[in-house]
Amino acid sequence: CHFNKINISHMKLVFLALLLISTTVLADLQQDVTDWYSGMFAGAGVGDLTDIPACLNDPTIGGILDFYEGWASAVADMPNTDLTTVLKTTNNYISGDGKTNANSVSQSVWDCIDNSQDDSRFQKKVGVTLSPNDMKAKAVFIGALTFSSNDRTKYKEAFTTMDEDFTAEEYYNAGNAYTSFASNLL
């Protein structure tokens, strides 16, 4: 009987330790994603976040960072910025790994972000939503890259900076680099 009490007490401690670790990991992830969006808002000149942080109470939010980090890495690794390479790299990422990363985020998180005042303010300022699934943003983004070789060079430079910021876990800077470039393009 004494053995069972020790086992149960030990199991309770292990459970509490795991709960504390998972809570800390989620809090760190929430801060990283909040930093990303704060950087995006700063880069676009939208102001501070108000209600998006309340949408980030789900462990699947890591897919948001995975989407943009994967995209930055794919563009940074392009061998050149000719039209074919840029379009192929961008389209392959967005319709492949990017789609997988975006879809790994719970739909309730995307719905919350899509219905936030922050998203409305961002859309009013930049012309597109915060959703990686925004087809208008994809079309405008890819279309703009089609017409200007200068923009393609800036695209690679900005996304290389983003890639470096993600590697350094500087999510605010990565978000800022993204919208500083994209808001001028869109």
Side-chain angles (χ1 to χ4, degrees):
C1 190
H2 177 69
F3 178 73
N4 286 339
K5 286 182 182 178
I6 292 173
N7 242 355
I8 291 171
S9 294
H10 180 68
M11 287 175 28
K12 286 180 183 177
L13 285 174
V14 169
F15 175 76
L16 290 173
L18 290 174
L19 183 62
L20 179 63
I21 290 169
S22 65
T23 302
T24 302
V25 169
L26 180 58
D28 289 346
L29 185 56
Q30 287 170 315
Q31 186 60 57
D32 293 345
V33 177
T34 298
D35 288 350
W36 162 259
Y37 280 121
S38 294
M40 283 181 73
F41 275 53
V46 178
D48 294 332
L49 292 177
T50 57
D51 54 350
I52 282 181
C55 300
L56 306 177
N57 292 322
D58 186 304
T60 66
I61 61 173
I64 296 169
L65 297 178
D66 292 343
F67 174 84
Y68 291 102
E69 184 172 10
W71 189 5
S73 180
V75 173
D77 291 344
M78 289 187 313
N80 59 59
T81 58
D82 68 73
L83 180 60
T84 302
T85 301
V86 167
L87 294 180
K88 182 178 178 182
T89 300
T90 303
N91 190 51
N92 286 350
Y93 179 75
I94 289 174
S95 61
D97 289 343
K99 184 176 183 177
T100 300
N101 289 335
N103 288 340
S104 73
V105 179
S106 170
Q107 187 59 47
S108 63
V109 171
W110 289 130
D111 291 344
C112 183
I113 291 171
D114 289 346
N115 293 313
S116 70
Q117 291 299 312
D118 289 335
D119 187 71
S120 296
R121 290 185 305 118
F122 188 84
Q123 187 173 5
K124 187 178 284 186
K125 177 80 175 184
V126 181
V128 297
T129 70
L130 291 167
S131 173
N133 297 315
D134 184 339
M135 295 308 291
K136 177 184 174 191
K138 289 179 194 174
V140 171
F141 200 94
I142 290 173
L145 292 172
T146 302
F147 295 111
S148 170
S149 62
N150 187 42
D151 284 340
R152 291 193 297 272
T153 300
K154 289 179 182 177
Y155 176 50
K156 182 170 173 64
E157 290 169 357
F159 277 59
T160 298
T161 298
M162 279 173 52
D163 188 44
E164 292 165 357
D165 289 336
F166 274 117
T167 300
E169 297 183 1
E170 297 289 338
Y171 302 108
Y172 178 92
N173 294 342
N176 190 299
Y178 173 75
T179 51
S180 292
F181 168 74
S183 61
N184 290 323
L185 190 64
L186 300 172

